[in-house]
Amino acid sequence: MTKTAVVTGASSGIGWATARRLAAEGYDVVAAARRVDRLEKLAAEVAGVRPIPLDVTSQESVDALAGALDRCDVLVNNAGGAFGLEPVIEADPADWQRMYDVNVLGTLRMTKALTPKLVESGDGVLVLLTSTAGLVAYEGGGGYVAAKHAQKSMAETLRLELYDRPVRVVEIAPGMVRTEEFALTRFRGDREAADRVYQGVAHPLTADDVADAIVWSVTRPAHFNVDRMVIRPRAQAAQHKVHRTPAP
Ligand code: 8X3
């Protein structure tokens, strides 16, 4: 019997890479995101990927996706993002609200909708993509740091509350990952500012590196729970301590 994995935010970056890798592992992958044209491209490239439109901020959209599934063995809550880098005292509450809605409530809506199916599978895996921003604060992190701390707490609470059910709760917390969109979204489309984040860093993590960590965790035997995996590039010893080589 083929297992089904649902990946949110699968239209680019970590979600896209995770969908590809899970399909390569033999899962029937439901690639979910708002941008269906991109999902269709992914499905055309990778056998075993089924595109389904999803907006995790809409309960109706989440319910429609859940209703379209016969089973669900793995849920990867990847949809999320950072909007703005203003100091807290200059932040726009609307940005914070949006970050909370996508990162935290999006995970809540999806988790509520699919946990019954994860339990039914007999060995469900619930993955929450958090961030090292969920472990430590940094200047300008603002609403993203707050949202990722909330998501981390949600993973811890879920693990306690589901302890007697056949569901593993896995938190993956990446540090510096260079994807095509994360920093660009955070800097509201300012390409130069986005590029400066990675300036002089020899090898930031890639989306594929993170997908590797997710897929490894998900494919462990049923008794083996990865509570939290923190991954960073070697150049990032800690959130604020990043080795950069000056431009020649
Ligand atoms: C992204 C990592 O360091 O920008 O989740 O918060 S960081």
Side-chain angles (χ1 to χ4, degrees):
M1 158 272 315
T2 308
K3 290 185 169 186
T4 298
V6 175
V7 182
T8 69
S11 56
S12 74
I14 293 169
W16 174 288
T18 303
R20 286 185 76 102
R21 280 189 167 241
L22 285 170
E25 288 288 329
Y27 285 84
D28 171 10
V29 176
V30 172
R34 283 172 307 172
R35 292 174 294 183
V36 183
D37 53 324
R38 283 175 173 245
L39 298 179
E40 276 162 4
K41 195 164 163 259
L42 175 63
E45 269 177 36
V46 184
V49 171
R50 178 157 49 119
I52 297 196
L54 172 72
D55 175 357
V56 296
T57 68
S58 154
Q59 189 62 51
E60 205 186 347
S61 173
V62 168
D63 291 343
L65 178 131
L69 299 181
D70 293 333
R71 60 179 297 135
C72 180
D73 302 81
V74 175
L75 167 60
V76 182
N77 282 298
N78 163 73
F83 313 118
L85 250 173
E86 292 78 15
V88 171
I89 57 169
E90 289 167 22
D92 182 344
D95 285 331
W96 280 53
Q97 208 152 33
R98 194 161 149 232
M99 283 187 272
Y100 200 81
D101 201 11
V102 179
N103 293 281
V104 186
L105 302 183
T107 299
L108 175 64
R109 291 184 190 97
M110 287 301 293
T111 299
K112 278 187 71 173
L114 291 182
T115 294
K117 287 194 165 70
L118 292 173
V119 171
E120 248 172 62
S121 77
D123 173 26
V125 192
L126 183 51
V127 180
L128 284 82
L129 246 292
T130 62
S131 164
T132 51
L135 306 173
V136 67
Y138 56 88
E139 307 89 324
Y144 183 69
V145 163
K148 288 297 177 185
H149 273 71
Q151 235 189 327
K152 175 201 72 173
S153 303
M154 196 194 303
E156 291 173 351
T157 308
L158 278 164
R159 200 174 298 115
L160 296 170
E161 292 175 349
L162 297 175
Y163 85 105
D164 57 354
R165 274 161 276 183
V167 179
R168 289 179 270 160
V169 179
V170 175
E171 182 195 346
I172 306 289
M176 186 185 280
V177 185
R178 186 170 201 163
T179 60
E180 64 267 38
E181 291 185 323
F182 178 81
L184 202 57
T185 307
R186 173 172 254 184
F187 285 98
R188 308 183 199 282
D190 181 340
R191 165 62 62 193
E192 266 177 48
D195 287 347
R196 271 198 298 277
V197 172
Y198 312 102
Q199 212 161 45
V201 180
H203 292 289
L205 291 180
T206 64
D208 213 42
D209 291 327
V210 183
D212 195 23
I214 294 168
V215 173
W216 184 83
S217 304
V218 163
T219 53
R220 291 314 85 206
H223 69 283
F224 186 141
N225 197 93
V226 177
D227 280 12
R228 173 181 301 134
M229 193 189 288
V230 180
I231 53 174
R232 304 177 193 271
R234 192 181 69 197
Q236 188 182 34
Q239 195 74 21
H240 284 83
K241 194 162 178 72
V242 178
H243 178 62
R244 294 178 196 268
T245 45

